Structure formats: C-alpha cells, structure tokens
Short mmCIF file of all heavy atoms in Angstrom, two decimals:
data_model
loop_
_atom_site.label_atom_id
_atom_site.label_comp_id
_atom_site.label_asym_id
_atom_site.label_seq_id
_atom_site.Cartn_x
_atom_site.Cartn_y
_atom_site.Cartn_z
N MET A 1234 0.80 -1.20 0.00
CA MET A 1234 -0.05 0.03 0.03
C MET A 1234 0.88 1.25 0.00
O MET A 1234 1.89 1.30 0.71
CB MET A 1234 -0.88 0.03 1.23
CG MET A 1234 -1.92 1.09 1.24
SD MET A 1234 -3.28 0.88 2.46
CE MET A 1234 -4.25 2.25 2.24
N ILE A 1235 0.55 2.22 -0.79
CA ILE A 1235 0.99 3.55 -0.74
C ILE A 1235 0.08 4.47 -0.10
O ILE A 1235 -1.05 4.56 -0.62
CB ILE A 1235 1.39 4.08 -2.29
CG1 ILE A 1235 2.22 3.03 -3.03
CG2 ILE A 1235 1.98 5.41 -2.22
CD1 ILE A 1235 2.42 3.39 -4.47
N PHE A 1236 0.45 5.16 0.93
CA PHE A 1236 -0.47 6.01 1.68
C PHE A 1236 -0.34 7.35 1.12
O PHE A 1236 0.39 7.83 0.35
CB PHE A 1236 0.00 5.97 3.20
CG PHE A 1236 -0.16 4.63 3.81
CD1 PHE A 1236 0.87 3.79 3.82
CD2 PHE A 1236 -1.38 4.36 4.34
CE1 PHE A 1236 0.74 2.55 4.52
CE2 PHE A 1236 -1.50 3.02 4.90
CZ PHE A 1236 -0.47 2.16 4.93
N GLN A 1237 -1.45 8.18 1.54
CA GLN A 1237 -1.65 9.57 1.00
C GLN A 1237 -0.51 10.47 1.23
O GLN A 1237 -0.06 11.13 0.24
CB GLN A 1237 -2.91 10.16 1.68
CG GLN A 1237 -4.28 9.54 1.29
CD GLN A 1237 -5.37 10.31 1.70
OE1 GLN A 1237 -5.39 11.54 1.77
NE2 GLN A 1237 -6.51 9.61 2.17
N GLU A 1238 0.08 10.57 2.42
CA GLU A 1238 1.10 11.58 2.61
C GLU A 1238 2.38 10.92 3.04
O GLU A 1238 2.50 10.34 4.16
CB GLU A 1238 0.57 12.50 3.87
CG GLU A 1238 1.60 13.51 4.21
CD GLU A 1238 2.25 14.29 3.08
OE1 GLU A 1238 1.51 15.05 2.33
OE2 GLU A 1238 3.43 14.21 2.92
N PRO A 1239 3.35 10.89 2.16
CA PRO A 1239 4.61 10.23 2.38
C PRO A 1239 5.43 10.72 3.55
O PRO A 1239 6.15 9.98 4.15
CB PRO A 1239 5.39 10.37 1.07
CG PRO A 1239 4.89 11.60 0.44
CD PRO A 1239 3.40 11.70 0.76
N MET A 1240 5.32 11.97 3.89
CA MET A 1240 6.16 12.56 5.00
C MET A 1240 5.64 12.09 6.26
O MET A 1240 6.52 11.84 7.21
CB MET A 1240 6.00 14.11 4.94
CG MET A 1240 7.04 14.86 5.89
SD MET A 1240 8.65 14.47 5.16
CE MET A 1240 9.64 14.32 6.64
N THR A 1241 4.41 11.68 6.46
CA THR A 1241 3.90 11.11 7.71
C THR A 1241 3.94 9.62 7.66
O THR A 1241 3.78 8.91 8.76
CB THR A 1241 2.39 11.54 7.96
OG1 THR A 1241 1.55 11.12 6.93
CG2 THR A 1241 2.32 13.01 8.13
N SER A 1242 4.23 8.96 6.48
CA SER A 1242 4.31 7.53 6.32
C SER A 1242 5.63 7.06 6.58
O SER A 1242 5.98 5.92 6.98
CB SER A 1242 3.79 7.05 5.11
OG SER A 1242 2.47 7.46 4.79
N LEU A 1243 6.64 7.92 6.29
CA LEU A 1243 8.14 7.52 6.49
C LEU A 1243 8.50 7.90 7.87
O LEU A 1243 8.21 9.00 8.41
CB LEU A 1243 8.97 8.22 5.39
CG LEU A 1243 8.73 7.73 3.95
CD1 LEU A 1243 9.52 8.77 3.07
CD2 LEU A 1243 9.27 6.41 3.78
N ASN A 1244 9.43 7.17 8.47
CA ASN A 1244 9.88 7.42 9.86
C ASN A 1244 11.07 8.41 9.75
O ASN A 1244 11.98 8.08 9.09
CB ASN A 1244 10.38 6.08 10.55
CG ASN A 1244 10.64 6.31 11.95
OD1 ASN A 1244 11.13 7.36 12.38
ND2 ASN A 1244 10.24 5.25 12.77
N PRO A 1245 10.92 9.62 10.41
CA PRO A 1245 11.80 10.64 10.18
C PRO A 1245 13.28 10.35 10.85
O PRO A 1245 14.26 11.03 10.47
CB PRO A 1245 11.24 11.88 10.91
CG PRO A 1245 10.32 11.36 11.89
CD PRO A 1245 9.89 10.00 11.26
N VAL A 1246 13.32 9.31 11.68
CA VAL A 1246 14.68 9.09 12.43
C VAL A 1246 15.47 7.96 11.80
O VAL A 1246 16.52 7.54 12.35
CB VAL A 1246 14.39 8.88 13.93
CG1 VAL A 1246 13.74 10.07 14.53
CG2 VAL A 1246 13.55 7.54 14.21
N TYR A 1247 14.86 7.24 10.71
CA TYR A 1247 15.55 6.27 10.08
C TYR A 1247 15.84 6.66 8.63
O TYR A 1247 15.08 7.39 8.06
CB TYR A 1247 14.76 4.81 10.06
CG TYR A 1247 14.61 4.20 11.38
CD1 TYR A 1247 13.55 4.43 12.22
CD2 TYR A 1247 15.70 3.36 11.82
CE1 TYR A 1247 13.41 3.84 13.45
CE2 TYR A 1247 15.55 2.75 13.08
CZ TYR A 1247 14.45 3.04 13.88
OH TYR A 1247 14.36 2.41 15.13
N THR A 1248 17.04 6.14 8.14
CA THR A 1248 17.35 6.43 6.69
C THR A 1248 16.37 5.67 5.81
O THR A 1248 15.70 4.81 6.14
CB THR A 1248 18.80 6.00 6.43
OG1 THR A 1248 18.90 4.63 6.49
CG2 THR A 1248 19.82 6.64 7.43
N ILE A 1249 16.42 6.22 4.53
CA ILE A 1249 15.57 5.70 3.44
C ILE A 1249 15.95 4.19 3.37
O ILE A 1249 15.13 3.28 3.15
CB ILE A 1249 15.75 6.51 2.19
CG1 ILE A 1249 15.28 7.91 2.29
CG2 ILE A 1249 15.05 5.77 1.06
CD1 ILE A 1249 13.86 8.11 2.68
N GLY A 1250 17.27 3.88 3.32
CA GLY A 1250 17.75 2.54 3.13
C GLY A 1250 17.26 1.57 4.26
O GLY A 1250 16.84 0.46 3.94
N ASP A 1251 17.35 1.99 5.54
CA ASP A 1251 16.91 1.28 6.58
C ASP A 1251 15.38 0.94 6.45
O ASP A 1251 14.93 -0.20 6.73
CB ASP A 1251 17.03 1.98 7.94
CG ASP A 1251 18.43 2.05 8.35
OD1 ASP A 1251 19.34 1.26 7.86
OD2 ASP A 1251 18.83 2.96 9.17
N GLN A 1252 14.52 1.89 5.95
CA GLN A 1252 13.06 1.66 5.94
C GLN A 1252 12.73 0.68 4.81
O GLN A 1252 11.82 -0.24 4.90
CB GLN A 1252 12.38 3.01 5.76
CG GLN A 1252 12.63 3.83 7.06
CD GLN A 1252 11.84 5.15 6.94
OE1 GLN A 1252 10.61 5.11 6.95
NE2 GLN A 1252 12.50 6.26 6.99
N ILE A 1253 13.34 0.80 3.69
CA ILE A 1253 13.20 -0.11 2.55
C ILE A 1253 13.70 -1.56 2.84
O ILE A 1253 12.99 -2.55 2.65
CB ILE A 1253 13.72 0.37 1.32
CG1 ILE A 1253 13.16 1.69 0.89
CG2 ILE A 1253 13.42 -0.60 0.08
CD1 ILE A 1253 13.65 2.37 -0.43
N ALA A 1254 14.88 -1.58 3.45
CA ALA A 1254 15.50 -2.84 3.79
C ALA A 1254 14.74 -3.67 4.74
O ALA A 1254 14.72 -4.83 4.77
CB ALA A 1254 16.97 -2.60 4.20
N GLU A 1255 14.04 -2.86 5.74
CA GLU A 1255 13.09 -3.59 6.70
C GLU A 1255 12.17 -4.51 6.07
O GLU A 1255 12.00 -5.74 6.52
CB GLU A 1255 12.53 -2.51 7.56
CG GLU A 1255 11.67 -3.19 8.68
CD GLU A 1255 10.93 -2.15 9.50
OE1 GLU A 1255 10.92 -1.02 9.09
OE2 GLU A 1255 10.38 -2.49 10.64
N ALA A 1256 11.43 -3.94 4.99
CA ALA A 1256 10.48 -4.87 4.32
C ALA A 1256 11.17 -6.09 3.64
O ALA A 1256 10.67 -7.16 3.63
CB ALA A 1256 9.64 -4.09 3.41
N VAL A 1257 12.33 -5.83 3.01
CA VAL A 1257 13.07 -6.88 2.31
C VAL A 1257 13.51 -7.95 3.31
O VAL A 1257 13.45 -9.10 2.99
CB VAL A 1257 14.25 -6.31 1.55
CG1 VAL A 1257 15.12 -7.37 0.99
CG2 VAL A 1257 13.77 -5.28 0.50
N ILE A 1258 14.00 -7.47 4.49
CA ILE A 1258 14.52 -8.46 5.55
C ILE A 1258 13.32 -9.26 6.02
O ILE A 1258 13.50 -10.59 6.13
CB ILE A 1258 15.07 -7.72 6.69
CG1 ILE A 1258 16.49 -7.06 6.11
CG2 ILE A 1258 15.41 -8.66 7.86
CD1 ILE A 1258 17.01 -6.16 7.15
N LEU A 1259 12.19 -8.68 6.19
CA LEU A 1259 11.04 -9.40 6.87
C LEU A 1259 10.50 -10.44 5.79
O LEU A 1259 10.16 -11.55 6.25
CB LEU A 1259 9.98 -8.31 7.09
CG LEU A 1259 8.63 -8.90 7.77
CD1 LEU A 1259 8.93 -9.59 9.08
CD2 LEU A 1259 7.63 -7.75 7.89
N HIS A 1260 10.39 -10.03 4.48
CA HIS A 1260 9.56 -10.88 3.57
C HIS A 1260 10.47 -11.71 2.65
O HIS A 1260 9.99 -12.71 1.98
CB HIS A 1260 8.70 -9.96 2.76
CG HIS A 1260 7.56 -9.36 3.52
ND1 HIS A 1260 6.62 -10.13 4.21
CD2 HIS A 1260 7.27 -8.07 3.70
CE1 HIS A 1260 5.75 -9.32 4.73
NE2 HIS A 1260 6.21 -8.11 4.47
#
C-alpha cells in the first residue's frame, strides 16, 4: 500500500535505506 502523505508515512529518524530494507529483510 502507498499511503496519502509520504512525509507522515516515512519514519523521520531512520534512513531511506533502513526503511526499505526492513520490508526486504522481513519478507
């Protein structure tokens, strides 16, 4: 799912790489 507002959907204290890699690691 892609949510309406990306600034509130992305965690501001983690890097972009950490947030994408989290889903890759999980699945």
Side-chain angles (χ1 to χ4, degrees):
M1234 187 166 182
I1235 304 170
F1236 295 92
Q1237 287 189 37
E1238 178 45 63
M1240 198 62 216
T1241 58
S1242 302
L1243 293 168
N1244 193 320
V1246 301
Y1247 287 96
T1248 65
I1249 298 301
D1251 287 341
Q1252 296 185 63
I1253 299 177
E1255 181 182 12
V1257 176
I1258 291 169
L1259 179 63
H1260 294 298

